[in-house]
Amino acid sequence: MKVILYIDKREGDMIDVPIFPGSNITKRMSYLQAVEEDKINGNKVADAAFIVGEDIPSEYKDNDKYLERVVEIDDAKLAESYASLAKGGYRGTPEKLAKLTAMDIPVVLTVYDVLPTSNLKWDYIRDTLNKYGGVVNNNAITAFQSGANILMFAKYKPSDIGAVNFTRDNPGAFVVDSWDGQLVTIKDKWWIGKNGTCNINIPIIDNLENNSPNDVPWSYIPVPGGQNAPYRLGDFAGYDAKATSDMITLVVPKYVVIGQSLRVPIYMPEKRETELTLNDIYDVTGGVTLVFRIWVQGKTGYYKLVEFQPKHQTMLEISAEDLEFIGMSPKDTVCMHLMAKDVKGRYRNMKASEDTTTLYKVKVFSTKPYDFITPRGEVLQSNSDIKRLRLYNITFGITAVGFSGGTLEAGSKIAVYRYKSGNVNYKYEQPWYETGPAGELTVAAGEIRYYPIVDSFDFTTNDIDESVTKAVVIWWNSSYIELSRLEVTIRKTDF
């Protein structure tokens, strides 16, 4: 594999170099001569690196400012090195490793996942970015370019505000361009950047009539450098190299019944120390406003905008009236496009990454194919050991008495939890015990089928004390949508 390096010639610059390694005697020569004669390792300070065959921007390819140097990498050694590093947690590609190898920059695996906020050293920044897929050498500007692979979901990262004598506790203010020139205090929110969305490009949705939305994933906007947006290594203090795009989780049901509402459980972290939340990105007083645009697939003319402000755990209910308004009928498909509303009231796409779902589809039925029986059973606690519990005669099932019948998909499971309150979404709680996934449950019209669970079995948990008196047993489907629950008082007995 061949790598092309572009090294700034720094024409006109003169430097003093030792006449031989370790000598105290120096001679003066041009910077370019020192690079060409290997008095300076120009590879380590290259401005950019490209694999032969990659598109090379004209700012490098057609610019006399740079010295072009081709470095050949041994493919067999590269493959061996990559395999070893990948086992240790390296997140880059073989091509990125080839670029680092060409620049004589080793990949250091013993790095910070979250960079320190004090005593931050250049080596920490370079090595952390490289481990997680960046291509950064000893030239500091490479830490700010697209090749650094800066994780846009990290809260603390290079910001493009151009404050003079910038410090994080600066009481001054900067202008947010996308907020019609609104001023924001630096010490409070320096990390939101001049675009107001944390240096992330989040497309605006202008056409609400579009029934075929094709959301483009968000992208990071590198700091351009220069007086108005200088490079500051200090912006990396607190940088989280493992920040995720999981800022919201929605569990949208697969079907809705005519005349009934559509309920969507939502989980959204409201605050995270080093990772961005939707509240951080949209900076709206009272919390972010999300919007579902709903319509019937194949029908034009009618749609409904359903706005909501999710909290940590929220149950969104789209009313039967809203669903009726869009004209849904049995066998239709309801489309639900998720958007956000920014501080200026503009609609923004919610596709944080390539894997983020923003368009959901829900089938419409005239009636349920089946219903769920009222669960029954007990949770027992041993008198001799409070950590020992027993599920006794726990019964869950589906009934098609009065319904047409149908199939509950494979993967459902039963889980038992310490009871907290009636409105807790237990999907995000740690269960005391959880069964393995069951197979399909098919019920014919007029019949009843039960979840396959033994009459009695014991388990132990450390998450219990004398103050715990109730338990909740929940039947989840394969997508962790709650099907049915049993809330019981724990009964103490001998077993």
Side-chain angles (χ1 to χ4, degrees):
M1 189 178 296
K2 292 182 179 180
V3 178
I4 305 175
L5 303 180
Y6 288 89
I7 306 164
D8 193 338
K9 295 177 182 178
R10 289 173 54 177
E11 293 194 22
D13 284 3
M14 301 295 291
I15 60 172
D16 295 317
V17 298
I19 59 174
F20 57 83
S23 173
N24 292 325
I25 303 174
T26 63
K27 64 178 179 179
R28 197 159 182 79
M29 64 174 60
S30 71
Y31 180 85
L32 176 59
Q33 182 183 355
V35 169
E36 290 177 327
E37 295 181 5
D38 289 330
K39 303 293 184 182
I40 293 174
N41 188 341
N43 294 13
K44 284 193 172 185
V45 292
D47 282 44
F50 302 93
I51 303 296
V52 170
E54 275 188 299
D55 288 335
I56 301 175
S58 59
E59 65 178 292
Y60 297 110
K61 182 173 58 175
D62 304 324
N63 195 335
D64 289 338
K65 174 183 177 181
Y66 296 103
L67 172 69
E68 183 179 289
R69 178 177 287 176
V70 178
V71 180
E72 188 157 359
I73 307 297
D74 185 290
D75 288 344
K77 290 182 179 179
L78 177 68
E80 182 180 351
S81 178
Y82 179 76
S84 174
L85 289 169
K87 287 181 181 178
Y90 177 57
R91 302 287 184 85
T93 62
E95 291 76 16
K96 289 181 176 180
L97 180 59
K99 294 176 182 180
L100 291 172
T101 303
M103 295 187 293
D104 295 332
I105 302 296
V107 174
V108 179
L109 297 178
T110 55
V111 297
Y112 292 92
D113 290 332
V114 179
L115 288 172
T117 55
S118 60
N119 299 319
L120 179 63
K121 298 180 180 180
W122 162 247
D123 290 2
Y124 301 164
I125 298 172
R126 179 197 62 204
D127 295 343
T128 295
L129 291 173
N130 284 340
K131 176 183 175 179
Y132 288 96
V135 179
V136 179
N137 61 15
N138 286 340
N139 185 342
I141 67 169
T142 59
F144 297 88
Q145 297 172 340
S146 59
N149 200 37
I150 292 172
L151 192 57
M152 62 181 163
F153 305 111
K155 187 172 184 177
Y156 306 118
K157 57 185 181 292
S159 172
D160 61 357
I161 66 172
V164 177
N165 300 322
F166 173 86
T167 58
R168 292 193 179 187
D169 59 356
N170 191 323
F174 65 98
V175 174
V176 177
D177 297 337
S178 68
W179 296 358
D180 296 341
Q182 180 177 329
L183 288 173
V184 176
T185 304
I186 293 171
K187 69 177 182 178
D188 292 337
K189 294 171 183 172
W190 64 270
W191 39 268
I192 69 172
K194 291 174 67 177
N195 78 335
T197 52
C198 308
N199 280 80
I200 300 174
N201 179 30
I202 304 177
I204 294 173
I205 298 173
D206 293 319
N207 182 11
L208 292 180
E209 302 288 338
N210 182 13
N211 283 355
S212 301
N214 184 25
D215 290 336
V216 176
W218 298 356
S219 58
Y220 174 65
I221 305 172
V223 172
Q227 183 177 358
N228 294 326
Y231 298 142
R232 292 183 298 263
L233 291 174
D235 285 6
F236 281 104
Y239 173 76
D240 190 339
K242 298 181 77 174
T244 70
S245 62
D246 299 331
M247 291 176 281
I248 188 167
T249 301
L250 302 94
V251 185
V252 178
K254 293 185 177 180
Y255 70 84
V256 62
V257 177
I258 293 289
Q260 296 186 8
S261 62
L262 178 64
R263 302 177 80 231
V264 181
I266 297 171
Y267 169 75
M268 187 189 79
E270 295 184 75
K271 184 177 181 180
R272 299 194 286 192
E273 186 60 37
T274 58
E275 300 177 81
L276 287 173
T277 67
L278 290 177
N279 285 340
D280 292 328
I281 291 173
Y282 289 106
D283 193 54
V284 180
T285 302
V288 64
T289 296
L290 300 184
V291 184
F292 264 129
R293 177 183 179 269
I294 60 174
W295 72 95
V296 175
Q297 184 172 288
K299 295 183 180 179
T300 58
Y302 290 96
Y303 66 85
K304 188 77 175 180
L305 297 179
V306 180
E307 294 190 1
F308 57 101
Q309 289 186 313
K311 301 302 179 185
H312 180 63
Q313 295 183 78
T314 302
M315 182 66 76
L316 169 66
E317 186 159 2
I318 300 176
S319 70
E321 290 75 19
D322 285 342
L323 294 168
E324 181 182 359
F325 174 83
I326 62 174
M328 74 176 194
S329 303
K331 298 184 180 181
D332 278 341
T333 297
V334 173
C335 298
M336 305 171 60
H337 184 211
L338 183 64
M339 304 177 289
K341 206 171 185 180
D342 70 14
V343 70
K344 302 302 292 184
R346 296 165 297 198
Y347 297 104
R348 302 264 191 165
N349 102 15
M350 280 286 291
K351 196 169 183 65
S353 70
E354 195 67 53
D355 298 328
T356 304
T357 299
T358 57
L359 180 62
Y360 301 86
K361 295 187 177 182
V362 181
K363 289 289 186 182
V364 182
F365 292 113
S366 58
T367 183
K368 293 180 180 179
Y370 50 79
D371 205 350
F372 298 95
I373 66 170
T374 300
R376 61 181 185 272
E378 291 186 283
V379 176
L380 309 180
Q381 184 179 48
S382 171
N383 280 324
S384 60
D385 182 0
I386 66 170
K387 296 181 179 180
R388 188 178 173 205
L389 301 173
R390 172 177 292 174
L391 292 187
Y392 183 67
N393 284 340
I394 297 294
T395 305
F396 287 89
I398 55 177
T399 173
V401 175
F403 299 95
S404 59
T407 298
L408 175 66
E409 65 182 9
S412 68
K413 57 189 67 177
I414 302 292
V416 56
Y417 303 83
R418 169 205 287 256
Y419 179 81
K420 293 190 173 181
S421 71
N423 61 358
V424 167
N425 185 347
Y426 286 92
K427 173 181 176 180
Y428 303 102
E429 302 295 330
Q430 182 66 36
W432 282 342
Y433 179 83
E434 184 176 85
T435 68
E440 289 185 346
L441 275 183
T442 299
V443 61
E447 294 183 348
I448 298 175
R449 289 290 306 278
Y450 296 102
Y451 182 93
I453 188 170
V454 297
D455 293 340
S456 174
F457 61 90
D458 300 349
F459 63 93
T460 59
T461 178
N462 291 320
D463 182 30
I464 194 167
D465 53 45
E466 294 290 352
S467 67
V468 180
T469 60
K470 291 187 69 176
V472 57
V473 186
I474 297 180
W475 187 14
W476 301 104
N477 77 358
S478 59
S479 301
Y480 273 94
I481 295 176
E482 183 178 320
L483 303 176
S484 185
R485 75 164 58 187
L486 173 67
E487 296 177 1
V488 293
T489 298
I490 299 172
R491 181 164 67 90
K492 293 190 174 184
T493 186
D494 292 322
F495 63 88

